Amino acid sequence: MASSVALHQLAHCFFIYSQSALWSARPRYSITRNRGSSSTNNLIRPIKASLVEIPPFPLFQPPKVEESPSELEPADPDFYKIGYVRSMRAYGVEFKEGPDGFGVYASKDVEPLRRARIIMEIPIELMLTISKKLPWMFFPDIIPVGHPIFDIINSTDPETDWDLRLACLLLYAFDCKDNFWQLYGDFLPSVEECTSLLLATEEELLELQDENLSLNMRKQQRRALEFWEKNWHSGVPLKIKRLARDPERFIWAVSMAQSRCINMQMRIGALVQDANMLVPYADMLNHSFQPNCFFHWRFKDRMLEVMINAGQQIKKGEEMTINYMNGQKNDMFMQRYGFSSSVNPWDVIQFSGNARIHLDSFLSIFNISGLPEEYYHNSQLMRNRDAFVDGAIIAAARTLPTWSDGDVPPLPSAERKAVKELQEECQQMLAGFPTTSKEDQKLLVMLTISCLVLLLTDSMLEAGRPLEAAIKYRLDRKKFIEKVMQALDIYQERLLF
């Protein structure tokens, strides 16, 4: 087996892969946090009589304010102060770099409550929004009457080109005097730091080892390029030309729009409409298939709220996350955000044989409960948590060919035969890849080492994040298939012996 990775590419610098698409860039200037702390030693204690202590009369005592251990305090890192961002509020969270890039973390323990609670409030004045349907409406409306960028936005297909419209609006905001996004843009990943496959080369797309995904990304790249060529030709006014002097700049803006867009229904006055929105600071929340936060639009004062799920317990230092897309496979996450996961509970394997295993038996072996669209690992059914059961096993329960006939137990010989046939088909799938999972892992290690060497020698960093993301994608695919094979082994052992 031979990989199509050229040897000279190993000299490029690659960062540790992050499952964060919304916030993967390191800010270009340092961030310090000055948070005030209170101490009971600083409180003024009441003076007591030296001889006789008179018990206080309760009616004349001010009511004591009981501080809840789960009460959230405002966070105020320096970069809140850029522009007029003081109108944004965050409570009980810290913005810092973690294993998945920059993210949002709890600054103290959060006890579960019956109602969801707010950790961020972002006003509409800081956002970039455009309605999903005609007539195009912007809130806030930063485009002056007669500006040619509106004609470009108006030429897009209302049904499919939402990302092109949002990219145009983002580029215009960068050029708009005193606009907040001129400052916030420093926190967006650069072209070299972006993992989006829109910026991938043909060689990097081949490294996906997925023909359908590669073909789809080529179509998207060609679509964005043709749009730029149509609207950024040599005859356009300078006010348009300077927004995206080269196609790479425009394609980068499209990748930002795709990976950071939040779709919400909002009301401005009596008008209620769906909108595509770029929301600063909310785009720092990383993805999780088991998120502890969600978005909510507060109609009365046009605020986006980031809220902790009701009943959610969060420890200090734990990351705040949201679910970017529910029910989507890794190829969709890769296409939209530039990352994948080996434990995506919605991933699938396309089996072509006739072998089937007993569904109810498989679910009971791994303590999986719920309906197919709501499968979850019921850890309460066992004394010790089974670390083997993760999103990949949930996906296996959805994707493996199964049969079910009430409580009729399966015949051991028939189940053993079906398991063997399914494992053989998995082996054939793995053999169809040009590289093995071990080779992919070694390659990622080599890329990391080369990055460290370049950092230590202060060498220039070159592009290559899409290549790393592509290798990680195919590795996650192989890990999923291998996990399914392991699950079938355990299924045989626990059920038949």
Side-chain angles (χ1 to χ4, degrees):
M1 298 182 183
S3 172
S4 58
V5 180
L7 292 179
H8 72 272
Q9 288 178 307
L10 298 182
H12 291 179
C13 174
F14 300 92
F15 294 91
I16 300 297
Y17 180 76
S18 163
Q19 287 192 8
S20 164
L22 291 186
W23 193 265
S24 59
R26 180 191 296 272
R28 296 189 176 89
Y29 48 90
S30 62
I31 298 175
T32 58
R33 298 174 178 83
N34 298 318
R35 289 182 299 152
S37 60
S38 61
S39 173
T40 55
N41 296 330
N42 296 330
L43 297 177
I44 300 177
R45 301 182 181 276
I47 300 175
K48 296 183 180 180
S50 59
L51 296 177
V52 181
E53 289 190 8
I54 302 175
F57 193 65
L59 293 179
F60 298 103
Q61 297 297 317
K64 293 183 178 180
V65 179
E66 296 184 359
E67 295 185 359
S68 171
S70 63
E71 194 69 24
L72 301 181
E73 297 177 352
D76 187 27
D78 285 350
F79 64 88
Y80 283 179
K81 300 175 183 178
I82 59 177
Y84 46 89
V85 75
R86 291 186 182 88
S87 55
M88 178 265 185
R89 295 290 180 266
Y91 308 94
V93 296
E94 293 179 318
F95 299 84
K96 59 184 181 180
E97 191 170 11
D100 292 332
F102 258 82
V104 183
Y105 295 82
S107 61
K108 63 189 307 180
D109 292 345
V110 179
E111 299 300 326
L113 293 180
R114 293 183 179 180
R115 298 179 61 183
R117 75 190 73 186
I118 300 172
I119 60 172
M120 283 194 216
E121 296 174 305
I122 303 105
I124 195 173
E125 288 77 17
L126 299 184
M127 307 176 194
L128 294 177
T129 72
I130 181 173
S131 57
K132 286 186 177 182
K133 299 180 180 179
L134 288 168
W136 307 127
M137 302 188 69
F138 313 91
F139 301 100
D141 191 358
I142 61 175
I143 300 181
V145 177
H147 196 283
I149 194 65
F150 180 80
D151 296 330
I152 295 177
I153 291 176
N154 201 38
S155 68
T156 59
D157 188 330
E159 299 297 328
T160 60
D161 292 344
W162 63 269
D163 52 345
L164 301 180
R165 292 189 290 272
L166 205 54
C168 291
L169 189 59
L170 178 62
L171 290 172
Y172 176 76
F174 289 150
D175 190 63
C176 187
K177 184 179 180 181
D178 297 328
N179 188 272
F180 166 74
W181 284 82
Q182 288 183 325
L183 301 170
Y184 191 75
D186 289 338
F187 293 92
L188 300 179
S190 64
V191 172
E192 292 77 17
E193 297 166 330
C194 187
T195 61
S196 174
L197 294 181
L198 285 174
L199 298 166
T201 63
E202 178 61 27
E203 291 76 13
E204 290 168 339
L205 290 179
L206 292 176
E207 293 302 329
L208 290 168
Q209 297 178 1
D210 186 330
E211 294 182 3
N212 292 332
L213 180 56
S214 299
L215 179 61
N216 194 14
M217 293 313 304
R218 292 189 191 98
K219 291 180 179 178
Q220 288 204 34
Q221 288 177 339
R222 186 164 55 250
R223 164 176 166 263
L225 179 60
E226 291 175 352
F227 186 84
W228 179 85
E229 292 175 342
K230 175 184 176 183
N231 297 286
W232 271 266
H233 53 82
S234 58
V236 298
L238 179 60
K239 62 173 67 176
I240 293 296
K241 189 68 175 178
R242 67 190 182 200
L243 301 184
R245 294 184 180 273
D246 54 74
E248 186 180 59
R249 173 71 171 173
F250 180 76
I251 295 176
W252 171 85
V254 175
S255 71
M256 292 297 102
Q258 289 186 358
S259 61
R260 282 168 161 73
C261 177
I262 298 173
N263 299 322
M264 299 290 292
Q265 187 178 73
M266 61 181 186
R267 182 174 67 225
I268 307 296
L271 180 63
V272 178
Q273 60 177 298
D274 296 324
N276 301 124
M277 313 167 71
L278 292 177
V279 185
Y281 300 102
D283 62 3
M284 290 185 65
L285 278 85
N286 289 326
H287 165 78
S288 173
F289 292 109
Q290 296 179 325
N292 49 29
C293 295
F294 66 97
F295 294 140
H296 174 258
W297 181 258
R298 195 164 73 204
F299 288 95
K300 63 178 182 179
D301 50 4
R302 300 183 297 181
M303 288 267 191
L304 180 78
E305 298 175 332
V306 182
M307 308 190 75
I308 300 177
N309 294 329
Q312 184 79 50
Q313 184 176 14
I314 301 175
K315 298 295 184 181
K316 180 179 179 180
E318 186 176 341
E319 186 172 11
M320 307 294 197
T321 57
I322 59 171
N323 193 338
Y324 290 177
M325 292 190 298
N326 189 36
Q328 295 296 335
K329 299 184 297 181
N330 269 344
D331 57 347
M332 289 302 299
F333 278 93
M334 199 67 189
Q335 175 180 317
R336 177 83 176 265
Y337 300 102
F339 73 86
S340 60
S341 171
S342 61
V343 294
N344 185 342
W346 298 98
D347 222 358
V348 298
I349 299 177
Q350 298 295 338
F351 289 94
S352 57
N354 297 321
R356 296 183 299 165
I357 60 173
H358 193 258
L359 174 62
D360 301 327
S361 300
F362 186 85
L363 296 179
S364 63
I365 288 297
F366 295 104
N367 295 312
I368 297 175
S369 304
L371 298 174
E373 297 303 313
E374 299 175 351
Y375 278 156
Y376 67 96
H377 179 219
N378 194 342
S379 57
Q380 297 180 351
L381 297 178
M382 51 192 311
R383 296 179 180 177
N384 300 323
R385 178 172 175 80
D386 189 354
F388 180 79
V389 181
D390 55 16
I393 303 302
I394 301 296
R398 291 192 177 101
T399 193
L400 280 170
T402 59
W403 66 279
S404 180
D405 190 12
D407 296 328
V408 177
L411 295 175
S413 58
E415 287 295 291
R416 187 180 296 108
K417 180 181 178 181
V419 166
K420 183 178 180 181
E421 290 181 6
L422 291 174
Q423 288 179 323
E424 289 177 351
E425 189 166 356
C426 287
Q427 286 284 10
Q428 294 174 1
M429 295 178 189
L430 292 175
F433 288 101
T435 59
T436 65
S437 59
K438 291 183 178 180
E439 291 172 340
D440 292 341
Q441 288 174 336
K442 290 180 180 179
L443 183 56
L444 287 176
V445 171
M446 293 175 65
L447 298 179
T448 303
I449 293 175
S450 65
C451 174
L452 294 176
V453 171
L454 290 176
L455 286 175
L456 291 174
T457 58
D458 294 330
S459 301
M460 293 296 293
L461 306 182
E462 298 183 26
R465 295 299 302 277
L467 173 60
E468 184 186 8
I471 297 175
K472 181 69 166 53
Y473 169 76
R474 76 194 195 201
L475 174 61
D476 287 339
R477 181 65 175 171
K478 295 165 191 173
K479 283 184 177 180
F480 175 44
I481 298 175
E482 291 170 352
K483 187 89 172 184
V484 170
M485 295 174 63
Q486 295 175 16
L488 291 172
D489 277 334
I490 295 175
Y491 174 65
Q492 280 192 99
E493 295 173 0
R494 295 181 180 178
L495 180 69
L496 305 177
F497 300 101

